[in-house]
Amino acid sequence: MFRWIFIFSLLAVSMNSFASEGMIVRFKLTNSIRDYLRNNEFDITGINYKENHIEAFLTEEQLGMVKSQKAHVEFSFPQSLALGPDKEYKNPEEIEEFIKDIHSRFPELTEIKEIGQTLEGRKIWAIKITGESEKMKSVFFVNGMHHAREVMTPEITTDMIEYLTSRYGSDEKVKSWLDNTVVWVIPMFNLDGNNKMWNENSMWRKNTRNGHGVDINRNYPTAWNTCKGSSGSTWAQDYRGASPASEPETQAMMNFVASIKPVFSISYHSYSEIVIYPFGCSPKRTPALEAVETIGAELGSKIDYQPGTSWELLYNVDGGDIDWLYSEHQVIPYVIEVNSTNEGFHPSYSKWRDVTVTRNRPGWMYLLDRLQGPSIQGKIALNDYSTIAISLPGASKAFQNYKINPDGSFHVILKPGTYDISFLGNKTKVMTNLKIDSKKQIIF
Ligand SMILES: [Zn+2]
């Protein structure tokens, strides 16, 4: 079987008269092979926990090095850099057209915003979707494609945009979500990289800085270059950039997030069928009393993806967006890696596009539902209070200190339970033994 696949793929490549310039290689998953690939800064492309293997994109020379470690190669598939994904996947121009078309069809429900420009001057678009009600609303933020070759991710984001806008008038559930939530979506973030992926190199991942590119998702300032979770080599696929937030894309994202103050976020990547939550550096985790991990596990179960931190599931990551979102803006943030190793970066559009977007809907829908679940929400005068300290009843120390938003609003997601909640600032107000059950509670 192995030999047949190998011969077949060589034939396919030579018939198209493209030279093979690397290959996707599949190994039985062991810690030693994972660490070897990682320590040599090779391009680990995905992992499969159900079938217990790991994949990397390697040159002949790199494959020779790995084989010398007596690693068991299960599969190698030559990959021409010139052969791109199916043409139905979207490019930056089609994303811009899509956004403008949605806005012209649903002008009351949507607003579109250029949040900044890429290195090459492309406009980075975001779309705001919200219902007409005047209720106090929480912000849910979704983005696709930090990495240029992950072409399924804008399919997820555009499907979500299409789903929510087209059903607001007819679907009670969608109406309820949008009347209680402001949804912001950046459907495609790494526009220059994606353009290069279509025109030069189908395996391109980074932006296009100086030809070598920077991995935008290792360029955020939180924990930048602290735990071998990125590379300092310009050729590496996870090159972190010359300094924290050196890239205009990173800066645009940071300014945008600061302006919208999300409660939850999802950053879509591919592939591995996993849900990742902070932190990226071993052995750091979010406090067990906070809801980040339990909601991440529930999110994973909705779409049958494995949940965990990146260092548990893949490897250390430093300078990634979710650590920054959590640490700087108290967002509860997730990375979702869509598709498995059997689909890879460029699955057949006709076979996998609809299957993948449909499978992922219960994930983002769950977070829209969870905004109305156990939590406290309100709006208060900022000159009275600046922080909300949350502790277990009678405990001397808070497990979470929530900074109230610049407009006085707050929405703290909690696990169901009983808490002492203290509003602190120029005044103090303490609510003891507040029971948080299955519903959001509006206080103040
Ligand atoms: Zn990615």
Side-chain angles (χ1 to χ4, degrees):
M1 185 61 184
F2 166 76
R3 180 164 296 165
W4 183 83
I5 290 167
F6 190 69
I7 290 166
F8 173 78
S9 47
L10 278 182
L11 270 178
V13 168
S14 63
M15 277 163 63
N16 285 291
S17 69
F18 288 112
S20 162
E21 296 169 76
M23 59 202 87
I24 296 282
V25 185
R26 181 178 289 182
F27 304 94
K28 183 175 154 51
L29 177 59
T30 60
N31 287 341
S32 67
I33 186 64
R34 187 183 64 176
D35 294 347
Y36 183 82
L37 294 167
R38 181 68 218 157
N39 293 338
N40 283 282
E41 300 186 336
F42 291 166
D43 182 9
I44 298 174
T45 52
I47 206 155
N48 187 324
Y49 280 99
K50 293 185 177 108
E51 297 172 23
N52 205 42
H53 55 243
I54 185 167
E55 291 183 351
F57 178 67
L58 302 176
T59 62
E60 287 282 355
E61 190 191 351
Q62 290 171 335
L63 177 58
M65 285 173 68
V66 188
K67 278 180 169 166
S68 72
Q69 301 299 304
K70 298 193 169 49
H72 174 62
V73 177
E74 292 187 354
F75 180 94
S76 90
F77 192 86
Q79 201 88 4
S80 168
L81 300 185
L83 287 171
D86 287 350
K87 294 286 176 265
E88 290 92 335
Y89 287 105
K90 292 178 182 63
N91 65 27
E93 292 73 39
E94 288 161 340
I95 287 291
E96 184 163 330
E97 265 170 48
F98 171 85
I99 285 282
K100 289 180 174 169
D101 176 59
I102 288 281
H103 181 55
S104 72
R105 283 161 57 202
F106 304 100
E108 279 88 36
L109 280 183
T110 61
E111 191 183 308
I112 58 175
K113 185 181 163 76
E114 181 195 326
I115 68 154
Q117 295 196 359
T118 64
L119 267 176
E120 296 179 21
R122 290 188 172 79
K123 292 173 177 165
I124 305 171
W125 288 103
I127 183 166
K128 176 184 178 180
I129 312 167
T130 195
E132 290 144 23
S133 97
E134 297 295 316
K135 282 183 190 165
M136 190 156 47
K137 290 174 181 170
S138 305
V139 177
F140 179 35
F141 171 50
V142 174
N143 68 80
M145 197 177 270
H146 269 74
H147 295 139
R149 61 195 175 186
E150 298 168 8
V151 299
M152 188 61 87
T153 62
E155 299 300 327
I156 311 277
T157 54
T158 52
D159 173 68
M160 179 182 177
I161 294 165
E162 185 82 54
Y163 189 101
L164 292 174
T165 50
S166 66
R167 283 170 173 81
Y168 180 76
S170 59
D171 183 324
E172 279 300 310
K173 191 81 194 159
V174 172
K175 182 168 173 15
S176 159
W177 283 330
L178 293 182
D179 284 347
N180 286 290
T181 317
V182 173
V183 178
W184 271 108
V185 186
I186 297 177
M188 181 189 279
F189 183 46
N190 183 359
L191 302 159
D192 293 352
N194 183 257
N195 179 63
K196 183 165 174 137
M197 194 282 312
W198 283 109
N199 293 303
E200 278 179 53
N201 181 335
S202 65
M203 292 297 283
W204 195 256
R205 166 180 162 106
K206 299 180 275 185
N207 74 3
T208 60
R209 165 80 68 189
N210 297 337
H212 56 68
V214 169
D215 183 346
I216 304 169
N217 206 37
R218 299 294 184 279
N219 190 240
Y220 290 89
T222 300
W224 187 84
N225 186 20
T226 55
C227 65
K228 298 199 169 79
S230 59
S231 175
S233 315
T234 54
W235 59 266
Q237 288 287 16
D238 59 350
Y239 173 54
R240 67 179 78 97
S243 57
S246 56
E247 303 311 293
E249 292 89 350
T250 320
Q251 292 160 19
M253 180 67 87
M254 290 168 65
N255 292 332
F256 177 64
V257 166
S259 74
I260 63 168
K261 288 287 182 187
V263 178
F264 285 125
S265 72
I266 302 177
S267 303
Y268 282 102
H269 288 250
S270 71
Y271 52 85
S272 287
E273 299 193 338
I274 55 180
V275 173
I276 303 173
Y277 41 71
F279 289 97
C281 291
S282 171
K284 205 173 171 198
R285 358 184 40 110
T286 56
L289 289 170
E290 289 187 20
V292 180
E293 292 201 4
T294 48
I295 292 175
E298 188 63 24
L299 173 54
S301 78
K302 298 285 177 196
I303 51 179
D304 192 23
Y305 284 10
Q306 172 103 8
T309 62
S310 63
W311 55 266
E312 288 172 308
L313 298 174
L314 296 167
Y315 36 68
N316 275 7
V317 169
D318 54 31
D321 69 332
I322 56 174
D323 284 10
W324 176 81
L325 283 157
Y326 175 81
S327 302
E328 293 302 315
H329 292 286
Q330 56 199 1
V331 183
I332 299 185
Y334 301 100
V335 159
I336 299 184
E337 300 266 4
V338 306
N339 291 131
S340 82
T341 52
N342 298 318
E343 293 93 71
F345 290 127
H346 300 157
S348 154
Y349 188 92
S350 59
K351 193 168 168 200
W352 286 105
R353 190 272 179 190
D354 289 354
V355 173
T356 308
V357 303
T358 306
R359 177 169 175 183
N360 272 277
R361 283 177 188 163
W364 54 258
M365 288 177 175
Y366 165 63
L367 292 187
L368 282 166
D369 278 337
R370 187 60 182 80
L371 282 169
Q372 307 310 314
S375 58
I376 52 169
Q377 186 180 30
K379 192 162 183 175
I380 49 179
L382 255 192
N383 47 359
D384 290 345
Y385 307 105
S386 58
T387 308
I388 306 171
I390 299 151
S391 57
L392 292 180
S396 57
K397 198 166 176 292
F399 66 83
Q400 185 174 6
N401 286 292
Y402 180 98
K403 269 183 279 161
I404 295 165
N405 289 326
D407 67 351
S409 67
F410 62 88
H411 189 178
V412 191
I413 302 292
L414 295 164
K415 294 187 195 183
T418 304
Y419 301 102
D420 287 351
I421 296 181
S422 308
F423 291 80
L424 308 171
N426 292 328
K427 295 183 183 173
T428 302
K429 179 180 171 61
V430 181
M431 304 164 90
T432 53
N433 291 308
L434 184 71
K435 192 167 173 355
I436 304 294
D437 54 22
S438 60
K439 290 258 180 316
K440 175 173 83 178
Q441 294 190 28
I442 306 283
I443 49 180
F444 281 100

